[in-house]
């Protein structure tokens, strides 16, 4: 079974600085996808970034980028130029490739990020 | 385009009662997923429906059940409510390929007293 571990329950960063959130996962699959989701106090889960395991190039979305280390099964999220609106819970998630029997996102327990002015 | 909508926003029930939660996916999405987010426990997978069929089920007792209607909307039923069922219930939808991630609703906060 796949597991996702986020070892940092809480983090804080000053506005405009850079912060990195850690995520490790365990799987025997070769075809899978990794995601970071953000959950602000409004409760809505918002997709931040997506990475395909077969792509070596790290995904980037504006101020958000990942460091994907497949061999180490590590998938960290870097937030550059942090903004107050980035304050939220961040969840790392794993999805087996299409055709797998499981077919659902598996989430880590989350990291609560606070951006301070 | 309307997002994933869930109703009601809040629900208060008494222990032993039944709760019904509803979800409307994004137009064109055929898969619907239900997750339970209890305090301190992260998101736990409950159920996955696709094309009207239950595709997978998480490690929850049978009193958690649901269905998907022909218009792809879905209902989650929780029978014989227990205090520990108090949680935020999130619904998500995706296209059949589902590799692009899910789109989530804002959830239903269920409180069992």
């Amino acid at each position: 079974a796949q597991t996702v571990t986020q070892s940092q329950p809480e983090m804080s960063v000053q506005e405009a600085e850079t912060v990195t959130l850690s995520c490790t996962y365990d799987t025997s699959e070769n075809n899978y996808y990794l995601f970071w989701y953000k959950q602000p106090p409004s409760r809505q889960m918002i997709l931040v970034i997506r990475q395909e395991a077969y792509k070596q190039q790290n995904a980037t979305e504006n101020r958000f980028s990942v460091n994907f280390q497949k061999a180490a099964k590590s998938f960290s999220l870097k937030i550059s130029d942090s903004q107050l609106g980035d304050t939220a819970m961040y969840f790392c998630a794993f999805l087996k490739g299409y055709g797998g029997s499981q077919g659902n996102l598996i989430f880590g327990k989350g990291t609560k990020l606070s951006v301070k002015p | 385009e309307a997002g994933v909508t869930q109703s009601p926003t809040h629900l208060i029930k008494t222990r032993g009662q039944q709760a019904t939660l509803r979800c409307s996916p994004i137009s064109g999405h055929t898969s619907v997923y239900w997750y339970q987010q209890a305090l301190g426990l992260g998101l736990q997978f409950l159920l996955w429906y696709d094309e009207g069929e239950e595709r997978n089920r998480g490690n929850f007792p049978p009193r958690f059940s649901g269905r998907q209607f022909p218009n792809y909307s879905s209902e989650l039923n929780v029978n014989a409510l227990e205090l520990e069922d108090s949680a935020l219930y999130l619904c998500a939808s995706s296209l059949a390929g589902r590799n692009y991630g899910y789109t989530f609703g804002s959830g239903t906060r269920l409180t069992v007293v």
Side-chain angles (χ1 to χ4, degrees):
Chain A
Q2 289 77 20
T3 58
V4 177
T5 302
Q6 293 179 249
S7 59
Q8 306 150 315
E10 291 193 43
M11 293 188 72
S12 66
V13 63
Q14 291 295 130
E15 196 175 7
E17 292 188 347
T18 296
V19 63
T20 299
L21 280 58
S22 301
C23 173
T24 59
Y25 58 94
D26 187 25
T27 184
S28 58
E29 299 289 328
N30 197 43
N31 182 22
Y32 55 87
Y33 302 82
L34 295 163
F35 305 84
W36 278 97
Y37 277 86
K38 165 185 175 180
Q39 187 179 37
S42 65
R43 310 186 321 198
Q44 179 123 31
M45 296 279 286
I46 301 164
L47 177 62
V48 174
I49 201 163
R50 167 182 176 269
Q51 175 77 43
E52 298 165 351
Y54 61 86
K55 286 189 177 179
Q56 291 187 335
Q57 186 174 7
N58 290 322
T60 300
E61 287 288 340
N62 300 313
R63 297 182 295 107
F64 299 88
S65 62
V66 298
N67 183 5
F68 173 49
Q69 302 290 328
K70 190 172 183 178
K73 294 180 183 175
S74 171
F75 183 61
S76 61
L77 175 70
K78 185 172 82 171
I79 306 173
S80 304
D81 185 26
S82 297
Q83 300 175 359
L84 297 177
D86 295 334
T87 293
M89 282 289 290
Y90 286 81
F91 292 94
C92 178
F94 172 98
L95 179 68
K96 279 174 66 172
Y98 190 80
S101 60
Q102 194 162 356
N104 51 271
L105 276 173
I106 300 168
F107 287 88
K109 291 194 180 298
T111 296
K112 184 177 182 181
L113 176 66
S114 298
V115 180
K116 301 186 184 305
Chain B
E1 179 186 82
V4 177
T5 57
Q6 291 187 246
S7 62
T9 305
H10 294 88
L11 189 59
I12 301 175
K13 291 287 187 177
T14 304
R15 190 172 49 184
Q17 285 188 317
Q18 178 194 40
T20 298
L21 288 62
R22 296 181 175 83
C23 172
S24 293
I26 287 177
S27 177
H29 286 192
T30 62
S31 282
V32 171
Y33 310 82
W34 288 95
Y35 285 81
Q36 181 195 66
Q37 188 177 20
L39 197 61
L41 292 180
L43 282 86
Q44 304 294 316
F45 167 69
L46 268 164
L47 290 159
W48 168 28
Y49 292 96
D50 184 60
E51 297 284 357
E53 300 285 334
E54 182 180 301
R55 300 298 185 188
N56 200 8
R57 181 183 182 85
N59 189 25
F60 280 83
R63 58 191 187 81
F64 286 84
S65 65
R67 55 180 170 166
Q68 186 178 34
F69 300 99
N71 66 354
Y72 303 115
S73 67
S74 177
E75 201 173 82
L76 174 68
N77 295 294
V78 188
N79 294 320
L81 284 165
E82 299 178 3
L83 296 179
E84 52 265 36
D85 296 334
S86 294
L88 179 67
Y89 288 83
L90 291 167
C91 172
S93 72
S94 74
L95 290 167
R98 78 181 185 282
N99 297 332
Y100 293 95
Y102 303 170
T103 303
F104 282 83
S106 296
T108 293
R109 172 74 65 188
L110 173 63
T111 303
V112 183
V113 298

